[in-house]
Amino acid sequence: MPVTVTLAGPAPWGFRITGGRDFGKPITVSKVMEHGKAAAGDLRPGDVIVAINGESAAEMLNVEAQNKIKQSPGRLQLQVQR
């Protein structure tokens, strides 16, 4: 069941991702910084990012996902699969 994680901005969000269409793997949270916004929002390492701000992440390249996350203005909404 997907979980929606909403983080109040602005960046830095306090997490890193791996995967993407260019790697043939789903975009996944690889690291969550302690005391960061992602940790406060209950984002966890291993969460698979299904959508970024309502846009499906299934076909995104790693760099596309990173740019969408970085350029998110006031808030970042991630739909994740645990």
Side-chain angles (χ1 to χ4, degrees):
M1 188 174 103
V3 177
T4 300
V5 176
T6 303
L7 308 176
W13 302 108
F15 69 98
R16 298 214 172 133
I17 59 169
T18 60
R21 192 179 77 215
D22 42 338
F23 293 98
K25 294 183 176 171
I27 294 169
T28 306
V29 176
S30 59
K31 182 176 183 179
V32 176
M33 291 23 160
E34 241 183 286
H35 311 299
K37 292 175 184 167
D42 197 32
L43 196 64
R44 304 174 190 172
D47 283 351
V48 174
I49 297 176
V50 179
I52 302 167
N53 292 333
E55 190 177 331
S56 173
E59 293 300 313
M60 283 185 193
L61 299 171
N62 184 283
V63 71
E64 287 177 304
Q66 285 192 35
N67 288 337
K68 292 245 182 272
I69 291 165
K70 281 181 197 160
Q71 293 163 3
S72 195
R75 82 185 173 120
L76 175 63
Q77 189 174 51
L78 300 172
Q79 195 169 17
V80 299
Q81 195 78 45
R82 296 228 149 110

